[in-house]
């Protein structure tokens, strides 16, 4: 196998594995929300830029398809492996380093998770290492017009998830701290920066026109929802989410980058990025798209360490495969639910420690399955339960009735799996969409926490209770109630009911 063919072969292999493994269990809560947002195309949304919602919605234009939806993260996961191998080659390494880097990137838990379900982090699997690859090529003497490509990638990345701004800032500062700062002082670098700004401008203007709701959401997260950790624990979390064994590779890569004059700016960029995350209390997975860069560097180190021993190379690959395959069910939905519960019980000690240490939100009781897996269950059944309650209403009630979701998960599930049933919610983008001109005089209420303490209705009757064995705890034993006789205009209530969290 030639070194030139490895990136493509490795990328296609990663894509195919994800393509087969991804579409199991069901639609994830956030994926349903992205689809609904994308079906209402805008230049931005309360809690995200537009790229991921539009991608999600495009996969569902010809009917519900979990396979097509999950093919998108599979494609990004494969492209991530491909770009990582190219970066290894740009660092000057050969075939073994590319193969090792491809395996480590594929099996790194947090990256595998990004490639399993569609999320804003999924796009960063490609754009972050691609930005690094472009700058490394520029450092190696490539045509400075390549900065325009960097600007294009940066702009698309910003339109996918805002946290890439921290990486871009860290990368620029890393360059300024090294002799490679000369790369920044050219008209092509300025042109790339301008191109990125122009791509990001429409979303910025959207956020500005609505009073920057993303900042309100982040503030809410900092004041009660999110778990803030010490710098030492944050560093430990980074090792845990990348896999304690596999983390050895990226740590070695970080050391190598810091000791290599030509690429030191990437080592500085990582340290600055983590410092930014600590200062602003970012969740542990926010900077995770940076790890393919460090893994590529670490693979270079491993290739040099094992230059004289083929056995050592075989052993390194074997360790990655054994550890990676053993932990893959934690990030790929490949085991039946009951089998997964038994399998995770066999890892209970280490698993409990890692779950406790990496908790990001307060009061999140996940149930029998981990949160990501649990949130892929129960949504179609919940939607059909709500539909039955709605359709059982007397015609006079049904003509004015609307369904209220406590959160965007339930609201999106009903809108997706029970089309035609009107849905509102005060959670994030749904609040901005408003009451949709419904009076709220007859309300089918999912859950009951929203408006529950307001004595807003003259009557509230729990019609049924929804339960799903594998769903997250907050969606189990969920009361479905019919509320009648609103005491004051719903439009007035709406103004004070916003839930940006």
């Amino acid at each position: 196998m030639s070194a030139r063919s490895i990136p493509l072969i490795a990328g296609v292999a990663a894509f195919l594995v994800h393509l087969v493994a991804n579409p199991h269990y069901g639609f994830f809560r956030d994926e349903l929300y992205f689809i609904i947002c994308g079906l209402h195309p805008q230049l931005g949304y309360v809690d995200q830029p537009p790229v991921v919602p539009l991608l999600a919605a495009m996969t569902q234009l010809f009917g519900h398809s979990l396979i097509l939806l999950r093919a998108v993260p599979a494609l990004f996961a494969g492209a991530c492996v491909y770009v990582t191998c190219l970066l290894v080659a740009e660092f000057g390494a050969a075939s073994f380093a590319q193969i090792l880097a491809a395996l480590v990137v594929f099996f790194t838990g947090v990256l595998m998770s990004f490639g399993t379900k569609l999320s804003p982090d999924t796009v960063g699997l490609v754009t972050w290492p691609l930005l690094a690859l472009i700058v490394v090529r520029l450092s190696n003497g490539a045509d400075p017009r390549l900065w325009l490509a960097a600007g294009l990638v940066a702009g698309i990345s910003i339109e996918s998830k805002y946290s890439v701004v921290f990486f871009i800032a860290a990368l620029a500062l890393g360059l300024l701290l090294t002799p490679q700062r000369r790369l920044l002082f050219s008209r092509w670098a300025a042109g790339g920066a301008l191109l990125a700004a122009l791509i990001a401008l429409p979303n910025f203007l959207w956020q500005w026109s609505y009073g920057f709701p993303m900042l309100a959401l982040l503030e809410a997260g900092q004041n009660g929802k999110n778990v803030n950790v010490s710098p030492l624990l944050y560093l430990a979390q980074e090792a845990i989410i990348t896999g304690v064994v596999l983390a050895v590779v990226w740590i070695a890569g970080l050391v190598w980058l810091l000791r290599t004059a030509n690429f030191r700016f990437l080592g500085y960029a990582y340290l600055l990025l983590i410092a930014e995350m600590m200062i602003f209390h970012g969740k542990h997975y926010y900077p995770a798209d940076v790890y393919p860069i460090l893994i590529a560097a670490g693979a270079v180190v491993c290739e040099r360490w094992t230059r004289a021993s083929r056995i050592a190379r075989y052993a390194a690959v074997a360790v990655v495969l054994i550890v990676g395959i053993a932990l893959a069910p934690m990030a790929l939905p490949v085991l039946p639910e009951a089998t997964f519960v038994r399998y995770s019980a066999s890892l209970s000690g280490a698993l409990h420690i890692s779950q406790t240490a990496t908790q990001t939100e307060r009061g999140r009781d996940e149930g029998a399955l981990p949160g990501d897996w649990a949130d892929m269950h129960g949504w179609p059944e919940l939607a059909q339960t709500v539909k039955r309650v709605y359709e059982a209403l007397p015609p006079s009630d049904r003509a004015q009735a609307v369904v209220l979701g406590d959160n965007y998960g339930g609201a999106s599930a009903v809108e997706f799996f029970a089309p035609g049933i009107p849905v509102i919610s005060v959670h994030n983008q749904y609040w901005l969409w408003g009451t949709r001109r419904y009076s709220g005089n007859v309300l089918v209420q999912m859950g009951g926490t929203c408006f529950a303490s307001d004595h807003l209705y003259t009557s509230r009757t729990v019609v049924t209770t929804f339960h799903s064995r594998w769903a997250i705890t907050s969606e189990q034993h969920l009361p479905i109630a019919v509320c009648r006789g609103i005491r004051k205009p719903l439009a007035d209530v709406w103004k004070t009911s916003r839930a940006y969290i």
Side-chain angles (χ1 to χ4, degrees):
M1 183 188 301
S2 68
R4 288 188 176 184
S5 65
I6 291 173
L8 182 59
I9 293 172
V12 170
F15 165 69
L16 292 176
V17 173
H18 272 285
L19 190 66
V20 172
N22 285 359
H24 297 94
Y25 294 171
F27 289 86
F28 184 65
R29 172 197 301 268
D30 290 0
E31 289 174 327
L32 293 171
Y33 178 53
F34 298 148
I35 291 168
I36 298 303
C37 285
L39 292 174
H40 299 79
Q42 297 182 233
L43 294 175
Y45 302 91
V46 165
D47 43 6
Q48 62 200 296
V51 166
V52 170
L54 292 175
L55 286 174
M58 286 171 60
T59 67
Q60 307 300 303
L61 292 178
F62 303 103
H64 296 179
S65 176
L66 184 62
I67 292 175
L68 282 180
L69 179 72
R70 296 282 170 79
V72 176
L75 184 62
F76 278 101
C80 174
V81 169
Y82 175 78
V83 173
T84 301
C85 291
L86 293 182
L87 189 55
V88 170
E90 201 65 36
F91 284 147
S95 300
F96 173 72
Q98 290 188 41
I99 293 170
L100 184 65
L103 289 172
V104 175
V105 165
F106 177 79
F107 283 116
T108 293
V110 65
L111 302 178
M112 183 179 282
S113 179
F114 289 172
T116 297
K117 60 185 186 299
L118 185 57
S119 75
D121 297 292
T122 300
V123 178
L125 279 173
V126 178
T127 57
W128 289 36
L130 186 54
L131 276 173
L133 175 64
I134 291 171
V135 178
V136 167
R137 285 184 171 175
L138 287 164
S139 178
N140 286 340
D143 190 324
R145 286 177 291 186
L146 203 55
W147 274 117
L148 296 179
L152 176 64
V153 173
I156 293 171
S157 199
I158 294 170
E159 287 291 271
S160 304
K161 188 170 183 178
Y162 298 122
S163 61
V164 73
V165 172
F166 292 100
F167 173 61
I168 294 170
L171 186 57
L173 285 171
L175 287 167
L176 286 171
L177 291 172
T178 65
Q180 280 71 29
R181 68 179 70 90
R182 70 184 186 280
L183 299 173
L184 294 172
F185 302 109
S186 77
R187 68 173 187 267
W188 296 110
L194 179 61
L195 179 59
L198 288 174
I199 294 172
L201 181 60
N203 180 247
F204 173 84
L205 293 176
W206 186 95
Q207 284 280 334
W208 176 75
S209 68
Y210 287 98
F212 293 100
M214 188 66 193
L215 295 180
L217 186 144
L218 292 173
E219 184 180 0
Q222 295 299 326
N223 294 317
K225 178 185 176 183
N226 297 341
V227 176
N228 296 328
V229 300
S230 67
L232 188 60
L233 180 54
Y234 193 87
L235 292 176
Q237 288 179 336
E238 294 306 293
I240 292 170
I241 66 171
T242 52
V244 175
V245 175
L246 300 186
V248 172
V249 177
W250 70 255
I251 292 171
L254 174 61
V255 173
W256 181 77
L257 289 172
L258 291 171
R259 296 180 62 182
T260 305
N262 240 23
F263 309 125
R264 188 169 293 136
F265 65 90
L266 288 175
Y268 287 163
Y270 175 77
L271 296 178
L272 290 164
L273 174 66
I274 295 301
E276 291 168 347
M277 292 294 108
M278 291 176 179
I279 291 169
F280 292 102
H281 300 293
K283 294 181 180 180
H284 53 64
Y285 62 86
Y286 284 1
D289 283 320
V290 77
Y291 286 107
I293 302 166
L294 301 190
I295 290 169
V300 176
V301 177
C302 292
E303 183 176 81
R304 294 180 180 181
W305 282 349
T306 59
R307 184 182 295 115
S309 174
R310 182 171 294 183
I311 293 176
R313 291 186 171 182
Y314 288 150
V317 170
V319 169
V320 173
L321 288 172
I322 292 169
V323 172
I325 292 171
L327 295 178
M330 302 296 118
L332 285 176
V334 291
L335 297 179
E337 290 84 348
T339 304
F340 176 86
V341 170
R342 291 193 297 271
Y343 184 75
S344 61
S346 67
L347 306 173
S348 58
L351 196 61
H352 176 73
I353 293 172
S354 65
Q355 288 175 343
T356 301
T358 56
Q359 184 180 7
T360 60
E361 296 180 6
R362 303 180 191 279
R364 186 174 173 86
D365 186 2
E366 298 179 342
L369 297 174
D372 282 3
W373 291 170
D375 259 341
M376 293 179 182
H377 291 79
W379 302 116
E381 296 82 4
L382 173 61
Q384 292 307 307
T385 300
V386 171
K387 181 179 180 180
R388 286 192 294 271
V389 171
Y390 176 85
E391 292 181 342
L393 293 171
S396 59
D397 282 354
R398 193 164 63 247
Q400 59 179 316
V402 66
V403 174
L404 174 71
D406 277 352
N407 57 69
Y408 64 58
S412 299
V414 172
E415 198 163 351
F416 184 70
F417 291 112
I421 296 198
V423 184
I424 58 175
S425 176
V426 299
H427 191 195
N428 290 7
Q429 187 65 29
Y430 270 96
W431 180 84
L432 206 56
W433 287 331
T435 64
R436 294 176 171 175
R437 298 186 179 180
Y438 284 91
S439 68
N441 193 52
V442 178
L443 193 77
V444 177
Q445 188 181 49
M446 287 188 287
T449 59
C450 187
F451 301 161
S453 61
D454 295 344
H455 304 294
L456 186 61
Y457 287 89
T458 57
S459 71
R460 179 179 182 272
T461 304
V462 175
V463 177
T464 188
T465 301
F466 172 77
H467 175 71
S468 175
R469 177 184 178 188
W470 301 114
I472 199 164
T473 300
S474 60
E475 305 295 341
Q476 295 179 17
H477 305 293
L478 194 72
I480 311 296
V482 175
C483 305
R484 292 182 173 88
I486 194 165
R487 297 182 188 275
K488 56 182 178 179
L490 183 60
D492 292 344
V493 177
W494 208 259
K495 295 174 184 177
T496 59
S497 300
R498 186 183 76 182
Y500 282 176
I501 53 176

